[in-house]
Amino acid sequence: MTPSMTSDLAYLKDLAEAGQNAPLLGGRFLAWWGGLASVAYVGHYLIAIGFAGLQPAALAYMWSGFMLLGFAGQFLMARAFPASKPGAASLGNKVSSTIWMGGGMVLFSFFAGVVLKSVIAGQASIGFIWSVPIVLAVYGLCQLTAGLLSNTRPLVLAGWGAIIGVGIAAAFTGSNTIWLIGAVTVALTVFLPGLILMRGEPAETV
């Protein structure tokens, strides 16, 4: 093997390793949904305790607004996201995108079933009571998987944090405190890691 070929192979190896360890690019989406969910959980708590005379009926309006605002922001950010961003085709980014898509579909299916049950029964389904631990479980698995496969320590820590939060939330199921636990856990394990990933994103050109 000639020195030139050896140099070329070394260069290709460096490119492959750089692509494998490319920074994750989903920080803006984590920050958006994490921040929005944290605020919504605090809002749910305030409504549940009757703060400022708020009635339980306000929950339907708040969560409807959460969904509309959340998906609108997701759509706009996805459209504005540059397809040429360095590292977008890396294994870590593909895995992260896929695992979060699956996690989102799981939560959509769960809440669709809970809402349908509520409509049929004419009252809030008991499924809502367990929604916080379930949401944290999905968040934890997504963060941990993406973090381990991309070697991203903040996501690994966030994943374990959310998983620990599942047990804490389950212990407070049935009390209004669970909504504050959800808010703090999501802020620390989804919103904050999202901001960290955004700071580590590469420029659009190299």
Side-chain angles (χ1 to χ4, degrees), residues 52-106:
L54 291 170
Q55 299 299 312
L59 290 172
Y61 295 105
M62 187 198 70
W63 285 110
S64 295
F66 166 81
M67 295 301 295
L68 290 174
L69 189 59
F71 283 115
Q74 174 82 17
F75 175 76
L76 293 175
M77 286 189 295
R79 287 197 61 181
F81 191 80
S84 59
K85 197 85 167 178
S90 69
L91 175 62
N93 278 295
K94 288 183 177 180
V95 168
S96 180
S97 175
T98 302
I99 191 70
W100 275 106
M101 179 184 68
M105 292 176 68
V106 168

Side-chain angles (χ1 to χ4, degrees), residues 106-107 110 127 130-139 166:
V106 168
L107 293 180
F110 170 76
W130 288 98
S131 64
V132 175
I134 290 175
V135 168
L136 295 182
V138 171
Y139 285 176
V166 172

